[in-house]
């Protein structure tokens, strides 16, 4: 199997959602002083490639640590949205050519190509987002989650986080944001893992996201 890393590296100065403090990686122990190295990590739960839980917005909904591990893995399909215009909407017509596979997938991963802007001010621009109809399809087909290569499933201007609320209020569903390298995953179904850091009552957490594909012949 080939493992494709779909995860941005957590590092000082990395992009974070506007208003969020960037991560701090500082020496906890050093070779010179302690004979070993250990790093102190200070970061918000929605830093980098991360997962949103229903508890992100709703106090009576499920936290990540309360979800079964099976929620974080399954079959996935990349939906090519790279020609979607800035500020545009991603509708169900995007999956028409792959509808049978899309219906079967546990996760849909939307490739806008926006990850190429990671580390630049343009990353916080008018990235395309899904329609309400697309969000309803994700719930109707009982997806485990949706993934995106942008900073959020809602436009940054939507302070109400309308799509987050639509998806997270109704089901044990997860949203994975800030993915990368989706173009390397091909056009068919593959095995997908997005494993969040497990801490108590987690509203969200950084993940290591991987695609597993057969070896190329």
């Amino acid at each position: 199997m080939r493992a494709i890393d779909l995860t941005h590296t957590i590092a000082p100065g990395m992009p974070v959602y506007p208003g969020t403090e960037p991560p701090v990686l500082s020496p906890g122990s050093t070779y010179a002083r302690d004979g070993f190295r250990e790093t102190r990590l200070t970061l918000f739960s929605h830093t980098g490639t991360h997962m949103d839980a229903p508890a992100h917005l709703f106090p009576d909904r499920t936290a990540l640590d309360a979800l079964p591990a099976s929620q974080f893995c399954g079959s996935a399909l990349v939906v090519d949205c790279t020609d979607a215009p800035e500020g545009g909407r991603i509708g169900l017509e995007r999956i028409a050519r792959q509808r049978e596979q899309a219906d079967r997938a546990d996760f849909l991963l939307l490739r806008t190509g926006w990850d190429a802007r990671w580390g630049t001010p343009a990353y916080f621009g008018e990235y395309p987002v899904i329609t309400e109809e697309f969000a309803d399809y994700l719930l109707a087909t009982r997806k485990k989650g949706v993934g995106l290569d942008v900073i959020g499933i809602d436009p940054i201007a939507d302070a109400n986080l309308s799509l987050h609320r639509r998806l997270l209020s109704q089901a044990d569903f997860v949203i994975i944001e800030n993915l990368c390298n989706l173009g390397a995953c091909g056009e068919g179904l593959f095995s997908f893992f997005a494993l969040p850091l497990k801490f108590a009552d987690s509203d969200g957490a950084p993940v290591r996201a991987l695609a597993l594909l057969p070896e190329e012949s």
Side-chain angles (χ1 to χ4, degrees), residues 4-9 48-50 78 109-118 123 147-150 176-185 190 192 207-211:
I4 298 172
D5 196 347
L6 308 178
T7 317
H8 287 292
T9 301
T49 305
H50 70 274
V78 170
L109 309 180
L110 308 183
R111 180 192 173 210
T112 68
W114 216 260
D115 57 323
R117 309 182 189 209
W118 180 259
Y123 192 68
L148 314 100
D149 58 2
V150 298
I176 307 146
E177 296 166 333
N178 295 324
L179 290 167
C180 60
N181 300 327
L182 292 177
C185 296
F190 56 90
F192 174 68
V207 302
R208 188 66 178 263
L210 297 173

Side-chain angles (χ1 to χ4, degrees), residues 129-143:
V129 300
I130 62 173
T131 62
E132 290 79 6
E133 182 187 28
F134 201 117
D136 291 342
Y137 165 81
L138 295 171
L139 295 172
T141 53
R142 306 179 73 85
K143 299 287 182 268

